[in-house]
Amino acid sequence: MTSEPETVAELVLARERDHRPGLRFEDRELSHHQVTAAAAARAALLRDLLDARTPRHLGVLLDNTPEYPLWLSAAALAGAAVAGINPTRRGAELARDILHTDCRLLVTERAHLPLLTGLDLPGVRVLVTDTPAYDELLAPYRGAAPEISPDATPAARLLLYFTSGSTGAPKAAVCSQRRLAAAGHSLVRHFGVRPDDVHYVCMPMFHGNAVIADWAPALAAGAGVALRRRFSASGFLPDVRRFGATYFTYVGRAVQYLLATPARADDRAHALRLGFGTEAGAVDARRFEERFGVRLVEGYGSSEGGAAIQRSPGTPDGAIGRAAPGDDLAVLDPGTGKECAAAEFGPGGRLLNGDAAIGELVNRGRSPFEGYWRNAAADAERVRDHGWYWTGDLFYRDAAGYLYFAGRADDRLRVDSENLAAAVIEAILARWEPVAAVAVYAVPDPVAGDQVMAALALRDGVSFDPHAFSEFLLAQGDLGTKMAPRFVRVLSRLPVTATHKVARGVLRGEGFRCTGPGEAGDVWWRPRGDGAYREFTAGDEAGVVGEFRERGREGVLGEGGRVRGEG
């Protein structure tokens, strides 16, 4: 039996004699052979530009253009590492990301050059891909023989990608050639990826999802790759049809944006067979399959590689799956380190003992986590207590061992001494037909603890009906008495990060009072003892702020009802 290649460099080289279509973007097409040749030229250039006495790191500040996978492949051949630079970062924060990851080279395009204006980037050489100077620089290296550098070992760093965090600067997680190649092989086996498949990459490649879950399995299987510069809900199906795409990945709210597009009679006229990602939720996954005929598989794998959950046949609705054979995943109370109680469910699947069952997912076995770049404090926060890996994600587990996602650790709410998880409430509210997207988060309560606030983005042409929403809540058998939102903020679109995850920090920072674009009528609430929602007015705001003052808790609020220290 032939062993699987241990490095991404080997996977790149394996396609050298493959003349099938390998990479498509807009009206351009490269064969696998041409991709390998282009990567070899860039690898040869890297060997001349990067000093072996310093970390062999290059930053890539690009949209999803062909240059992105070409430089990933080049770095793999050269034994270098790519730091994915987020183009939504600005000023000193952007400079910090580039310098923190010790990039000596920054590959970008003309559209992003304004981001670099005025930045102090000592020792960083900038290459601008869509310029004559770039073509001239590459010209002498075209025709370079594809070869693997002695530095391209299985343990060699290949990716430095930034993970979002609730506090502090983003952390750059390390991913080796071995880990990325192994992830590609694993997904090929799990989803039966074939050489004639086409993987549609529409999530940003500076994020681990697009590279690890989309590009890597395509490379491992010899499948084609089709790129979209940036995700577009209206452009999704036209792209899928044009490229013959069969597989795609998603993050955050992309599925909800697709469902919000106008339905058409030809919505099932395409070759897509599978979508793989996170945070779609059971309701939207079902709607997506009913409308487009495409199965969505919700997965879980921490960006840092510290823990993963396998979905298998028989996984209950709402569950992610179970630990893979040989893995030791546990749901632990972060305060005591003890294992949480098994989840108990009532009529309608309602979680009856969330306070006892919800905890942090911890990998107590061997973890593939490879650390953060130059951040020992963050490493220690992740790996502690007997060398266990703490994911920072909330879960609960049923008696059969199936694991259910309950949100990030900082998405926990404590209402009247009861712990709630935002993801559980969001899954319920997503059933309301007028909703296109929903986010649940905590706002402070004048007495103590939190109150539940929900931001709802409604489908086009739909207005918020407070009576209909109240009736919907009453009909949900799994909605606990503390889960119903006290405040509802109605938006045309939820704020999102560059990776299409809801920017909860922005929402929490607004507090219970909508400022700026939010006027009276954009926020609704149910006063204490009142079962009906009504508009939250300036008079209501003054009353709530006054209650904080009376209780001696006005310090948690800023001007306009914003929550101090958030957003």
Side-chain angles (χ1 to χ4, degrees), residues 32 126 180 274 289 343 356 404 514:
H32 288 289
V126 178
L180 186 57
L274 182 69
E289 185 167 9
Y404 298 72
C514 193

Side-chain angles (χ1 to χ4, degrees), residues 15-33:
R15 304 267 69 82
E16 181 185 6
R17 300 178 184 275
D18 190 340
H19 294 275
R20 296 175 303 119
L23 181 61
R24 297 183 66 184
F25 172 75
E26 296 177 351
D27 58 352
R28 294 177 57 188
E29 180 176 293
L30 298 176
S31 69
H32 288 289
H33 167 77

Side-chain angles (χ1 to χ4, degrees), residues 25 56 63 83 98 109 210 244 259 411 458 515 524 527 543:
F25 172 75
R56 295 169 58 79
D63 291 335
I98 297 167
E109 55 191 310
L259 288 170
D411 291 338
L458 303 183
T515 58
W524 300 74

Side-chain angles (χ1 to χ4, degrees), residues 283-348:
V283 172
D284 284 337
R286 185 164 52 251
R287 289 173 177 168
F288 196 88
E289 185 167 9
E290 289 171 354
R291 176 174 166 185
F292 298 107
V294 179
R295 182 170 65 102
L296 298 186
V297 177
E298 285 281 290
Y300 175 82
S302 67
S303 300
E304 297 87 343
I309 298 172
Q310 281 191 349
R311 188 174 185 88
S312 57
T315 299
D317 285 346
I320 300 296
R322 288 194 280 203
D327 285 352
D328 184 8
L329 300 184
V331 178
L332 304 183
D333 183 317
T336 65
K338 295 181 179 179
E339 196 151 357
C340 294
E344 299 173 5
F345 301 100

Side-chain angles (χ1 to χ4, degrees), residues 49-321:
L49 293 184
L50 294 180
D51 189 338
R53 296 168 297 180
T54 61
R56 295 169 58 79
H57 297 174
L58 63 144
V60 177
L61 177 62
L62 294 170
D63 291 335
N64 288 359
T65 66
E67 290 290 341
Y68 214 122
L70 292 181
W71 279 103
L72 286 173
S73 298
L77 292 174
V82 169
I85 306 300
N86 183 343
T88 67
R89 300 273 281 173
R90 295 291 185 270
E93 292 183 342
L94 177 61
R96 178 262 173 199
D97 291 351
I98 297 167
L99 298 176
H100 172 70
T101 45
D102 291 311
C103 294
R104 297 294 180 265
L105 195 66
L106 180 66
V107 180
T108 189
E109 55 191 310
R110 285 184 294 178
H112 292 321
L113 279 179
L115 300 179
L116 305 178
T117 302
L119 297 190
D120 185 17
L121 299 172
V124 179
R125 179 170 179 175
V126 178
L127 305 185
V128 187
T129 58
D130 48 352
T131 62
Y134 179 76
D135 292 335
E136 292 171 10
L137 182 66
L138 266 178
Y141 298 92
R142 292 194 173 97
E147 57 184 11
I148 299 176
S149 165
D151 296 322
T153 65
R157 289 186 302 278
L158 178 57
L159 298 178
L160 295 168
Y161 52 95
F162 288 98
T163 63
S164 57
S166 57
T167 59
K171 303 176 289 290
V174 175
C175 181
S176 66
Q177 294 226 19
R178 177 189 290 114
R179 181 155 79 87
L180 186 57
H185 294 311
S186 176
L187 289 171
V188 167
R189 292 190 297 270
H190 193 67
F191 292 129
V193 180
R194 305 180 298 261
D196 60 349
D197 278 322
V198 176
H199 284 212
Y200 181 55
V201 182
C202 55
M203 295 291 101
M205 293 193 76
F206 67 79
H207 188 255
N209 167 276
V211 175
I212 297 173
D214 213 343
W215 181 73
L219 185 66
V225 169
L227 299 175
R228 174 82 189 193
R229 178 179 286 274
R230 296 189 188 111
F231 172 75
S232 165
S234 62
F236 181 85
L237 275 183
D239 274 356
V240 162
R241 294 187 182 109
R242 179 157 56 110
F243 297 133
T246 57
Y247 171 103
F248 76 105
T249 61
Y250 58 87
V251 174
R253 296 299 178 247
V255 168
Q256 292 177 336
Y257 297 152
L258 292 170
L259 288 170
T261 59
R264 292 169 49 103
D266 61 352
D267 277 342
R268 288 175 170 242
H270 54 73
L272 266 184
R273 63 183 175 87
L274 182 69
F276 176 53
T278 62
E279 299 181 15
V283 172
D284 284 337
R286 185 164 52 251
R287 289 173 177 168
F288 196 88
E289 185 167 9
E290 289 171 354
R291 176 174 166 185
F292 298 107
V294 179
R295 182 170 65 102
L296 298 186
V297 177
E298 285 281 290
Y300 175 82
S302 67
S303 300
E304 297 87 343
I309 298 172
Q310 281 191 349
R311 188 174 185 88
S312 57
T315 299
D317 285 346
I320 300 296

Side-chain angles (χ1 to χ4, degrees), residues 479-503:
L479 184 72
T481 57
K482 305 293 174 59
M483 293 181 179
R486 186 178 182 196
F487 294 92
V488 176
R489 181 177 179 183
V490 181
L491 299 169
S492 59
R493 191 180 183 91
L494 297 185
V496 295
T497 66
T499 56
H500 302 285
K501 295 183 178 181
V502 173

